[in-house]
């Protein structure tokens, strides 16, 4: 039996889905920033979001709060990681242009 009730777990799962989908789409938009392990993390994140949506109604408030903290720290760390990858790619590109001149 699958019991899906609308609550904060649905919102949290959808936010996680959006975050890992953006990580997956990074490969299409900026391939120089994407890495091969991003597909693995996106798949695990989508699975984690599905589990939150389907079984999140079982979470009591303190466990839900811990999931909110884990997912928010995960998304912030991922955002910073991607931003630093972009800065590294720009620096490498700038050094190559400077070397060619």
């Amino acid at each position: 039996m699958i019991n899906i009730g609308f609550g904060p777990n649905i919102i949290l799962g959808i936010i996680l889905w959006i975050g890992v989908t953006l990580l997956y789409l990074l490969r299409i938009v900026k391939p120089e920033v994407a890495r091969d392990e991003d597909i693995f993390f996106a798949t695990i994140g989508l699975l984690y979001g599905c589990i939150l949506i389907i079984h999140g109604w079982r979470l009591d408030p303190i466990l839900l709060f811990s999931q909110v903290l884990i997912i928010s720290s995960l998304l912030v760390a991922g955002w910073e990681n991607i931003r630093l990858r972009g800065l590294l790619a720009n620096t490498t590109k700038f050094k190559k242009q400077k070397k060619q001149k």
Side-chain angles (χ1 to χ4, degrees):
M1 181 174 112
I2 295 178
N3 184 11
I4 299 176
F6 186 77
N9 60 320
I10 301 285
I11 297 168
L12 196 58
I14 290 173
I15 289 171
L16 184 63
W17 273 0
I18 292 169
V20 297
T21 303
L22 290 175
L23 178 65
Y24 182 74
L25 292 176
L26 184 67
R27 181 171 294 281
I28 298 168
V29 176
K30 287 194 167 200
E32 68 273 1
V33 176
R35 302 239 170 104
D36 290 338
E37 61 265 11
D38 290 345
I39 294 174
F40 172 75
F41 291 122
T43 305
I44 296 297
L46 287 173
L47 181 64
Y48 181 34
C50 287
I51 291 170
L52 267 176
I53 288 173
I54 293 172
H55 295 290
W57 60 273
R58 297 179 182 186
L59 296 175
D60 59 348
I62 193 71
L63 288 175
L64 184 65
F65 182 64
S66 70
Q67 294 300 312
V68 169
L69 292 178
I70 288 170
I71 289 174
S72 61
S73 62
L74 175 96
L75 292 175
V76 168
W79 175 262
E80 184 178 358
N81 187 3
I82 291 169
R83 193 175 60 89
L84 289 174
R85 286 183 198 174
L87 289 174
L88 184 63
N90 286 340
T91 304
T92 307
K93 189 167 87 174
F94 179 71
K95 284 183 180 178
K96 284 182 182 178
Q97 287 176 352
K98 198 173 180 183
K99 196 183 247 188
Q100 288 176 355
K101 289 181 180 182

